[in-house]
Amino acid sequence: QTCALPILVLMAGVAAAVADTDGQVKADGASLAGHLRRAWMAVDRGHANREAAVVIVAGADGGWRAVPAFDDAGFQSIRLELPPGTVAILHTHPNHTGGEPSIADRRNSDALGVVNYTLTDRGVWRYDPRKRRTERVMYKLSWLEAANWEKLLAGEGGAWR
């Protein structure tokens, strides 16, 4: 699936993850937070007019992995080719733009059935295409801390929704 979000171009890289005894790749809040911190630095802590993303891909065993994506050429946008099994897109917005997912972000989420998170210095917003609802799920830069992602996922029964 190709998703021309006004967000990204896929970068070939898989999140630092831990392999379990079955060889399935699993990620955790710490590896996700590490990828998000790198994405945040890549966009000059939200001051650049470009975006970066981390795509969440579901594993067959119920686990997930995080795939980082960066695009230095995009102006307040990023183009992304979604790997099979993508369940969520987490992407930055420049601090001077709105924090909530844009109309194009929501439209792409609706078309793909993929949850969309936007990250800024003001917090994290989640758009759920099943509910067609946007909600703020974290405040300020708390999203840079692994414990906050672990808490969010625990509250969702461990699922990306």
Side-chain angles (χ1 to χ4, degrees):
Q1 290 175 307
T2 298
C3 177
L5 295 172
I7 58 176
L8 62 238
V9 171
L10 183 64
M11 179 176 165
V14 175
V18 178
D20 67 11
T21 56
D22 299 319
Q24 292 292 320
V25 177
K26 293 184 178 180
D28 58 15
S31 64
L32 175 61
H35 285 296
L36 293 175
R37 281 191 292 276
R38 283 189 289 285
W40 192 234
M41 296 304 288
V43 296
D44 194 23
R45 295 182 174 102
H47 296 291
N49 279 318
R50 61 185 183 277
E51 297 183 5
V54 175
V55 176
I56 305 300
V57 181
D61 66 345
W64 52 274
R65 64 187 169 109
V67 180
F70 305 93
D71 181 8
D72 286 338
F75 177 77
Q76 295 182 5
S77 68
I78 192 165
R79 186 172 168 80
L80 173 65
E81 187 173 320
L82 298 176
T86 297
V87 294
I89 299 169
L90 293 77
H91 72 283
T92 64
H93 272 187
N95 293 334
H96 64 275
T97 64
E100 294 186 21
S102 68
I103 292 170
D105 292 338
R106 294 190 308 267
R107 190 176 305 126
N108 283 316
S109 289
D110 290 338
L112 297 167
V114 173
V115 178
N116 196 316
Y117 292 79
T118 53
L119 313 136
T120 72
D121 64 349
R122 294 176 305 283
V124 176
W125 284 261
R126 172 179 53 202
Y127 175 73
D128 185 335
R130 291 176 299 278
K131 297 176 184 174
R132 292 187 171 261
R133 188 176 84 205
T134 298
E135 62 183 325
R136 190 180 210 173
V137 295
M138 290 187 209
Y139 290 85
K140 299 194 177 181
L141 294 173
S142 64
W143 57 270
L144 292 170
E145 301 300 322
N148 292 319
W149 289 102
E150 291 166 0
K151 182 178 176 182
L152 178 69
L153 288 172
E156 298 293 341
W160 285 94
R161 13 179 153 176

